[in-house]
Amino acid sequence: MGSRTVTAVDVAIIGAGWYGLVTARTYLRLEPNTNVIILDSDSTVGGVWSKDRLYPNLVAQVKLGFFNYSDTPMSKQGATQSDLVTGTMIHEYLAKYAADHALLPRVRFNTTVERAVRCERGWRLFFKNSSDVMETEKLIVATGVTSIPSMPLIKTDNVSVPIVHSRDLGASYGTLRSEKIQNVVVVGAAKSAYDAVYLLLSLGKKVTWIIRPNGAGPLAILPTKLFGRFNSIAVASTRWMTYMSPSILNTDGPLYRLIHKSRLGRWCVGKFWDTVTYLSNRHAGYSDGDHVAGLKPEIDGKSVFWANSGLGVVTLPDFWPTIHAGDVRIVRDNLSTVTENMLLLESGMLIQTDFMVVCTGWGDHFAMFDDETKAELGLPTYNNNNNEQPSPSSSCRLSAADDIRWDQYDEAADKSVNERLPFLAQAPTCMNAHTNDVQPHRRWRLYRRSIPMQLALKNDRSLAIMGQIHTVQTPLVADIQSFWAILYLLGKLDLPHKETMAREIAEWNAWTRKRYLSQGEKFPYSLYDFLPCWNDAEDCARQYIDTLCKDLGISSRRKSNAFKELFQPYKPDDFNGFVDEYLAERPGAAGGR
């Protein structure tokens, strides 16, 4: 065996998407002499928006002005008629951001971190298909939740057709355009499946859309505009929505008590979401009497509120008309075997296909850590075969590595959420309620969704986890979360005592499971709950961004008057200059090593 080349760096960032790039730029702004390297498995920056993952009609579910860093506006060039940003716009924006801030020379492309282990320096990284080794004092994992495809369990025998994950749809676009490809099978009910079906129908293909009958079912999809006037994402970006969406981060103040602690208030909240769901269902045309009826969410009302299977937004004006008019057949069945170009389903149905696109979600994006390390870090444990259940040995290590009585904290958190947010105390009726079963080994134990609590208790500030919170404004959250995490890593941010952190983690986990059901069970989900609440009380439980701003000692109230604070959508540029504000109050916070 040849000798290994060991490279030593100060900071290694895994991922060159929204979180990785802004983290690198901010770290260098605070500590310009730091040796920072960015590691990414792709050939370009962008993460989910990297060049190879783009294809025509790929449009983000966000309006222009809501999907950029706080200090860097996005160009209008290329926006859709509805002012939505396209995949190409996002990729070019991130590529320019990386170039403008001299980050590209620091990126090591086509590099997959296969293993990360502790070492005297901090962390030792091993790479796929390479004998190189890297040691780093600080490790920042910014891989997001859409980096590792989860492929379905399916038997194969002499397969003669391509089977690709939705992640690789862009790279397969040229093949899909071929006239030789006529019949395509799409598997899954995530938003990526809807986008894949739309693309294929636009290319004139015949689509068989397979959705397993024992899963969470089709997701809810909002129209681009509510009431034909208000952009859906803009509405979700107002403080008012922090009251319409029951959140554990907003459980104090007069508006909270009026809306969530009174029967009349909860009735109004229910009627609001009934109305939004009705508008979404009508826009989709589930009752038009065709195959689209098979895409109606399988939950007892308020599907847009619960987002049990996820939540999408219509991105193109002909989206639903194309699905209605297209040659598409929806089949509720499970996969069994692919033999040559024939797909056998569990029911016995045989389907001839020229191509398969599987939109079956995402796997273990923390696979670089072994189960014992995951248990110590508070990361979910997966089984390599189905991404669901941990091995018995990993469960034992989880208990051994963690001396906190999480069962007690979890039980108290469950009662607390029910008491403070009665709207969530009774779960809705789902066709497959088992998809929402509590799985303790899948609970995240990250303080503020970023910091491994066990390391923090040892004052080990060598690791931060970025991007493990799902919101409608990824760049803004990335901006503020990365700054908060960097200050923590640099020892410039104090953390509370053990009990406070454990209670915060347990209450978040209990809340997100109750609020977003199966999605909250998978990972920290916070669609409508990332903005601050409108309350001056010192003990106000804050929304996510406001919580981080309070920790940082900067203001999160950025509007000019009370009306705008409550009803005007918040955009990233409302927080432009927040780093400068912090540094102005702490002149010694930035400097060289």
Side-chain angles (χ1 to χ4, degrees):
M1 180 177 178
S3 61
R4 293 181 179 271
T5 300
V6 180
T7 303
V9 299
D10 299 322
V11 178
I13 300 171
I14 306 177
W18 282 112
Y19 282 88
L21 294 179
V22 74
T23 299
R25 186 241 174 150
T26 304
Y27 209 112
L28 290 167
R29 181 177 179 182
L30 295 178
E31 298 288 335
N33 297 323
T34 304
N35 183 7
V36 175
I37 192 166
I38 306 170
L39 307 167
D40 196 274
S41 59
D42 219 320
S43 59
T44 66
V45 300
V48 66
W49 305 105
S50 65
K51 188 174 182 179
D52 288 342
R53 294 175 71 169
L54 303 180
Y55 54 86
N57 301 327
L58 178 60
V59 179
Q61 304 173 80
V62 183
K63 186 179 179 181
L64 182 68
F66 289 86
F67 216 56
N68 51 267
Y69 293 128
S70 61
D71 63 351
T72 310
M74 180 180 287
S75 170
K76 298 180 180 179
Q77 185 174 358
T80 70
Q81 292 181 349
S82 302
D83 259 352
L84 298 180
V85 297
T86 66
T88 298
M89 291 172 65
I90 298 171
H91 172 71
E92 292 177 351
Y93 173 89
L94 290 172
K96 186 176 186 301
Y97 183 89
D100 289 347
H101 296 291
L103 299 179
L104 290 177
R106 298 178 180 273
V107 184
R108 181 170 164 177
F109 291 113
N110 302 307
T111 301
T112 299
V113 178
E114 196 168 50
R115 193 155 52 97
V117 299
R118 302 306 304 269
C119 68
E120 186 175 352
R121 180 185 295 273
W123 292 89
R124 180 178 293 118
L125 309 180
F126 299 87
F127 307 108
K128 185 178 181 179
N129 299 324
S130 174
S131 60
D132 293 350
V133 175
M134 181 175 293
E135 292 188 354
T136 179
E137 292 181 19
K138 310 285 187 183
L139 177 61
I140 301 174
V141 181
T143 54
V145 296
T146 56
S147 55
I148 306 297
S150 175
M151 300 297 288
L153 292 175
I154 182 171
K155 299 176 183 177
T156 58
D157 181 18
N158 196 28
V159 176
S160 61
V161 298
I163 303 176
V164 304
H165 191 270
S166 56
R167 184 195 67 171
D168 302 315
L169 195 58
S172 303
Y173 178 70
T175 302
L176 288 168
R177 292 182 61 188
S178 170
E179 292 185 0
K180 296 180 180 180
I181 306 296
Q182 291 296 321
N183 300 293
V184 182
V185 167
V186 175
V187 180
K191 181 58 167 61
S192 59
Y194 287 73
D195 291 338
V197 171
Y198 172 85
L199 174 66
L200 293 166
L201 295 177
S202 300
L203 293 173
K205 310 302 180 182
K206 181 178 180 179
V207 177
T208 302
W209 191 348
I210 300 174
I211 301 173
R212 62 191 177 111
N214 54 347
L219 81 169
I221 299 185
L222 282 165
T224 304
K225 293 185 177 181
L226 293 175
F227 305 103
R229 180 179 180 183
F230 304 105
N231 179 270
S232 297
I233 297 301
V235 172
S237 299
T238 63
R239 290 189 194 268
W240 177 248
M241 282 299 295
T242 69
Y243 291 99
M244 290 295 99
S245 177
S247 173
I248 195 62
L249 302 176
N250 189 6
T251 56
D252 197 13
L255 269 180
Y256 153 74
R257 288 189 288 272
L258 174 65
I259 295 173
H260 292 293
K261 296 296 283 186
S262 72
R263 290 185 178 180
L264 177 61
R266 294 195 295 274
W267 181 87
C268 291
V269 169
K271 289 303 176 183
F272 170 80
W273 289 107
D274 284 338
T275 301
V276 174
T277 298
Y278 167 77
L279 293 173
S280 301
N281 292 350
R282 186 179 68 177
H283 185 257
Y286 296 133
S287 60
D288 287 359
D290 61 9
H291 53 270
V292 173
L295 298 177
K296 186 176 182 180
E298 297 169 345
I299 191 169
D300 185 19
K302 301 179 182 61
S303 59
V304 172
F305 170 80
W306 293 109
N308 179 47
S309 302
L311 182 69
V313 178
V314 171
T315 55
L316 294 166
D318 65 338
F319 177 82
W320 281 120
T322 299
I323 302 294
H324 278 279
D327 190 352
V328 56
R329 174 178 54 161
I330 298 171
V331 178
R332 300 303 300 272
D333 209 335
N334 289 307
L335 307 178
S336 177
T337 306
V338 178
T339 303
E340 296 182 346
N341 67 339
M342 299 298 296
L343 170 63
L344 174 66
L345 303 181
E346 283 189 356
S347 65
M349 178 184 291
L350 274 173
I351 300 172
Q352 185 274 326
T353 185
D354 304 315
F355 202 101
M356 284 184 63
V357 181
V358 295
C359 309
T360 45
W362 306 97
D364 186 0
H365 41 282
F366 295 118
M368 73 280 292
F369 300 115
D370 61 27
D371 284 353
E372 186 173 0
T373 304
K374 286 180 184 177
E376 180 186 11
L377 301 180
L379 299 175
T381 314
Y382 295 79
N383 179 285
N384 291 332
N385 293 325
N386 57 22
N387 289 334
E388 288 297 332
Q389 298 294 333
S391 64
S393 58
S394 69
S395 297
C396 294
R397 286 194 292 266
L398 175 63
S399 301
D402 198 336
D403 62 354
I404 299 173
R405 291 300 304 271
W406 284 115
D407 55 341
Q408 296 179 4
Y409 281 105
D410 290 340
E411 182 180 358
D414 193 74
K415 293 179 181 178
S416 175
V417 173
N418 287 343
E419 179 182 344
R420 294 154 73 182
L421 299 170
F423 197 93
L424 303 180
Q426 182 62 47
T429 301
C430 301
M431 181 174 291
N432 293 306
H434 68 274
T435 61
N436 304 324
D437 290 345
V438 175
Q439 301 171 13
H441 61 279
R442 294 294 301 275
R443 295 177 183 174
W444 304 72
R445 303 299 187 186
L446 301 176
Y447 179 65
R448 298 291 195 241
R449 323 289 74 78
S450 181
I451 303 304
M453 181 175 167
Q454 286 290 339
L455 298 192
L457 293 175
K458 303 172 186 176
N459 200 30
D460 179 347
R461 300 191 178 218
S462 65
L463 176 68
I465 308 292
M466 310 300 300
Q468 302 308 306
I469 178 171
H470 189 87
T471 75
V472 298
Q473 284 203 27
T474 298
L476 175 58
V477 175
D479 229 345
I480 298 178
Q481 186 192 66
S482 62
F483 185 56
W484 185 95
I486 291 167
L487 292 177
Y488 160 79
L489 292 175
L490 294 174
K492 298 177 180 179
L493 189 69
D494 294 330
L495 299 183
H497 54 75
K498 173 181 176 179
E499 288 73 19
T500 299
M501 288 194 288
R503 185 168 60 250
E504 189 264 2
I505 292 169
E507 288 188 346
W508 175 281
N509 287 336
W511 165 75
T512 194
R513 290 196 309 273
K514 290 175 177 291
R515 174 63 185 84
Y516 294 106
L517 307 179
S518 67
Q519 293 302 307
E521 182 65 35
K522 292 177 183 177
F523 45 78
Y525 215 69
S526 186
L527 281 181
Y528 305 110
D529 317 279
F530 66 96
L531 271 174
C533 63
W534 190 45
N535 199 320
D536 286 323
E538 284 298 321
D539 59 348
C540 172
R542 313 276 180 139
Q543 301 296 76
Y544 187 66
I545 284 180
D546 194 43
T547 299
L548 300 184
C549 287
K550 184 181 179 183
D551 289 347
L552 296 170
I554 60 177
S555 174
S556 60
R557 298 185 62 172
R558 320 291 287 194
K559 302 295 187 181
S560 60
N561 59 60
F563 181 84
K564 290 182 177 180
E565 280 289 346
L566 196 56
F567 296 109
Q568 188 178 72
Y570 259 87
K571 299 181 179 181
D573 62 11
D574 286 312
F575 287 85
N576 186 13
F578 77 92
V579 175
D580 294 324
E581 295 170 21
Y582 177 89
L583 296 178
E585 295 294 325
R586 303 161 184 82
R593 289 176 61 86

